[in-house]
């Protein structure tokens, strides 16, 4: 039986994806392949495959292993962005330190910093004390679920699973807060989240 011939001149409507992954990685690198928009694309929609470091990025690791969805990932990144904006604000003056002539004047609080602080305060109210602490430990301190359990004196797989489930609930709440999800709920299935 003869094989069907394919029309080689027919171009697919799908955009091209170029593989630009590095082949020379450090020995202890932990990376995941992701598709991003090509900044040098000649046509809109072209993508490139690149590597993202997930070594010290628990949120990126969870997303690359498909343990959280896109809305949860984006809300976690928005929280981290707000934290960075708010942290750059005016620093407290230490009256015990000797005055140095020519020292830098304190920067005033910008509107972006003020809005970031307001969003963080709202997130803290929405998540509660325990949820806020959990989100801070993962997104800001970069801790794994196992490390969180050990830090709180709650070792074991059951606690790791609990913290993972609670962290996903917090990310769902942040997704609502930042506008990446609606109240209708998420259609994704529940998956286990390793430490």
């Amino acid at each position: 039986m003869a094989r069907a011939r394919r029309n080689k001149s027919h171009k697919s409507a799908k955009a091209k994806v170029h593989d630009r992954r590095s082949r020379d990685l450090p020995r202890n690198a932990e990376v995941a392949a992701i598709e991003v928009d090509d900044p040098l694309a000649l046509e809109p929609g072209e993508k490139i495959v690149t590597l993202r470091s997930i070594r010290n990025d628990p949120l990126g690791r969870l997303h690359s292993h498909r343990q959280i969805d896109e809305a949860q990932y984006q809300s976690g990144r928005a929280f981290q962005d707000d934290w960075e904006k708010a942290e750059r604000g005016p620093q407290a003056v230490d009256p015990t330190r000797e005055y140095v002539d020519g020292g830098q004047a304190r920067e005033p609080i910008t509107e972006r910093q003020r809005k970031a602080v307001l969003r963080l305060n709202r997130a803290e109210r929405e998540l509660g004390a325990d949820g806020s602490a959990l989100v801070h430990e993962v997104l800001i301190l970069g801790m794994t679920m196992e490390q969180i359990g050990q830090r709180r004196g709650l070792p074991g797989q059951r606690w790791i699973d609990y913290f993972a489930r609670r962290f996903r609930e917090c990310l769902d709440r942040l997704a609502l807060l930042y506008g990446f999800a609606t109240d209708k709920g998420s259609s994704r299935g529940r998956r286990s989240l390793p430490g």
Side-chain angles (χ1 to χ4, degrees):
M1 203 164 133
R3 286 178 90 176
R5 296 187 126 199
R6 295 184 185 182
N7 185 358
K8 296 195 188 226
S9 64
H10 174 69
K11 285 193 174 187
S12 171
K14 189 176 179 183
K16 290 182 180 180
V17 177
H18 302 282
D19 189 354
R20 304 256 169 84
R21 289 181 276 186
S22 174
R23 306 286 185 240
D24 186 26
L25 295 173
R27 185 176 317 156
N28 59 352
E30 292 180 38
V31 296
I34 58 168
E35 256 185 43
V36 295
D37 291 330
D38 188 353
L40 305 174
L42 298 175
E43 297 178 25
E46 286 188 23
K47 304 273 186 189
I48 60 172
V49 176
T50 186
L51 296 176
R52 160 174 72 188
S53 176
I54 58 174
R55 183 173 179 199
N56 294 319
D57 183 13
L59 190 66
R61 174 176 287 124
L62 297 173
H63 187 250
S64 67
H65 290 282
R66 302 193 193 304
Q67 295 169 336
I68 59 173
D69 63 19
E70 189 65 25
Q72 292 170 320
Y73 174 75
Q74 292 299 331
S75 64
R77 289 293 186 230
F79 182 88
Q80 289 173 329
D81 185 53
D82 278 349
W83 184 267
E84 288 176 9
K85 286 177 193 169
E87 195 176 52
R88 292 184 55 176
Q91 306 286 319
V93 177
D94 185 1
T96 62
R97 291 186 63 190
E98 185 178 333
Y99 175 77
V100 178
D101 193 23
Q104 298 276 337
R106 299 286 179 205
E107 294 180 22
I109 296 175
T110 66
E111 187 64 20
R112 286 178 49 179
Q113 290 170 327
R114 189 183 73 75
K115 287 181 179 179
V117 168
L118 290 174
R119 282 190 299 268
L120 290 172
N121 288 340
R122 183 168 177 217
E124 186 174 357
R125 281 192 312 272
E126 291 279 332
L127 298 175
D130 189 49
S132 294
L134 181 62
V135 166
H136 185 268
E137 288 168 335
V138 176
L139 298 180
I140 306 305
L141 301 179
M143 297 174 71
T144 64
M145 302 304 154
E146 186 177 3
Q147 291 169 330
I148 292 168
Q150 290 171 352
R151 182 178 187 177
R152 295 180 182 194
L154 303 168
Q157 189 61 43
R158 294 182 87 182
W159 283 107
I160 291 171
D161 292 344
Y162 167 76
F163 290 128
R165 202 169 37 257
R166 181 72 175 108
F167 180 65
R168 280 195 306 269
E169 290 170 3
C170 291
L171 286 177
D172 284 337
R173 204 75 171 135
L174 288 176
L176 289 170
L177 181 83
Y178 283 105
F180 294 109
T182 60
D183 276 330
K184 303 239 188 232
S186 177
S187 62
R188 66 180 169 71
R190 295 287 175 206
R191 294 175 284 259
S192 65
L193 189 65

